[in-house]
């Protein structure tokens, strides 16, 4: 077979060709990265973000929502919304929240199931922020998800020392004006956290779902640790 000999390209065209090849290589990489991200999103599951008041659950949830396209249920936000609307549920919730106490389990569980079902079927996963806060709530969450063929993929604990929690919450109270972020109520909420919520760490360890993260430091480092957990689920 006769070989067709291409004329040698002038050097500036050679250069442009090489730039073009580099561009195409980058485009290929970009597509690969996008495909990898999609794969991560498709594999995504339900995540419990866990920690004491002021541990950064809300802030890190925002980053997870943005990065993974997850749904988000903050039971505290749900309740504050009811208070703002002045509903019966809101009035009842306020009486507990203002005293730094937890809303009764049966009420919280029925609210949670309703909010979860609003995401419909086939969602990418939901972040549970502020739920569960007691062992009966964790058991109820497991049962509720099980009935729907779903499950919790990971419980991520943000661990922050007590004095840092206090400082953060007092500052948040000043910035946001949240009624329960005053020194007296914060102290009560931390006592409630230790007695009723912290035992969930052992509960989730037994379930094989617990992941510990140092919650002190920069947002970026904490989020990188969270990604490391989620990407390896
Ligand atoms: P948070 O915004 O998560 O700090 O919640 C604020 C307050 O709402 C708490 O101190 C409780 O009074 C109430 N609350 C939120 N989530 C729950 C829950 N899962 N169980 C009981 N009470 C809750």
């Amino acid at each position: 077979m006769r070989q067709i000999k291409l004329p040698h390209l002038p050097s500036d065209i050679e250069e442009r060709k090489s730039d073009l090849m580099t561009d195409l290589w980058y485009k290929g990489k970009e597509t690969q990265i996008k495909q990898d991200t999609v794969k991560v999103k498709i594999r995504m599951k339900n995540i419990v973000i866990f920690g004491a008041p002021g541990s950064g659950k809300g802030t890190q949830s925002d980053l997870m929502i943005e990065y993974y396209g997850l749904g988000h249920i903050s039971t505290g936000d749900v309740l504050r919304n009811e208070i703002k609307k002045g509903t019966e549920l809101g009035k009842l919730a306020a009486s507990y929240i203002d005293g730094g106490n937890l809303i009764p389990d049966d009420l919280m569980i029925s609210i949670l199931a309703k909010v979860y079902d609003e995401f419909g079927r086939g969602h990418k996963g939901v972040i549970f922020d502020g739920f569960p806060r007691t062992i009966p709530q964790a058991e109820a969450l497991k049962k509720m998800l099980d009935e729907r063929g779903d499950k919790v993929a990971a419980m991520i604990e943000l661990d922050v020392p007590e004095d840092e929690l206090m400082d953060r919450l007092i500052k948040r109270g000043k910035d946001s004006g949240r009624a329960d972020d005053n020194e007296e109520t914060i102290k009560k909420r931390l006592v409630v956290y230790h007695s009723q919520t912290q035992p969930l760490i052992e509960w989730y360890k037994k379930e094989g779902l617990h992941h510990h993260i140092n919650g002190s430091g920069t947002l970026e480092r904490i989020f990188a640790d969270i990604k490391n957990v989620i990407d390896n689920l």
Side-chain angles (χ1 to χ4, degrees), residues 75-76 79-80 97 101-103 108 130-131 133 137 178:
T75 43
L79 297 168
R80 279 185 290 276
I97 294 177
N101 294 305
L102 297 182
I103 274 75
M108 267 332 297
F131 191 100
R133 264 178 152 97
Q137 287 185 13
R178 229 178 95 163

Side-chain angles (χ1 to χ4, degrees), residues 39-51:
K39 261 190 251 154
V40 168
K41 284 179 179 176
I42 290 167
R43 275 195 275 111
M44 195 42 56
K45 303 274 164 54
N46 294 317
I47 308 287
V48 170
I49 185 87
F50 184 89

